Amino acid sequence: ETAVLSGEAALNSLLITVPAVLLSTLLGALSGYALAFSRWRAGSRALSNLLVLAAFIPLQLFLYPAVLGLAWVGLFGSLAGAVLAHVVFGLPLTTILFKGHFEQLPRELLRAAQIDGAGFVRTFFAVVLPVSMPLCAVVMLLQFTGIWNDFIVGLVFAGAENRPMTVQLTNIVGTTFGERAYNVEMASALFTAALPLLVYFYSGHLFVRGVLSGAVKG
């Protein structure tokens, strides 16, 4: 039974992590791009300060309002609700990282795109985003680590039928009845940590390259 539940939990973790990482990275890039090149300097600065504050406020303070909001739209207790919660909670940090990076880009690059007839959105996808791939790698790896290893969002928002691996692992280790199956606990822990280890093993050089190129500067 444990092996079957582990397989379901692994699938749930993937169904939560992959779309949450992609959406939070894309939306953070768009938000950071809009703030970095906004003509409303005072408003952009004030909103950036609010995002910095939101990034360091404990997640637990937002749980109850988030539960009410997701319940109101009918997404509470679902995989989509967990994905949306991760995207919203991760958006301040991803926006700050992208904004700091985009502000370092030469303005001549944007002016050249505008001269060629590219609009605001086309400039982002055709010019700004391609030259920001090192930052995208950094943000995606940071988001992947945080979302895959998350416990509280999966426990609160995913629902009993959609529990990710971290929640199931806690249930296995925290069992107080019967004989303790330490081999199952260790296997479950290794199984949970396997994918992050593989991701960092094969893409860790992208993270280092992004940091060294100034991806987290700003």
Side-chain angles (χ1 to χ4, degrees), residues 97-121:
L97 292 176
F98 276 107
K99 178 180 180 293
H101 174 73
F102 290 154
E103 288 178 341
Q104 310 301 320
L105 295 179
R107 299 285 173 166
E108 291 77 10
L109 188 65
L110 301 181
R111 296 192 187 99
Q114 294 173 355
I115 293 174
D116 291 337
F120 192 78
V121 176

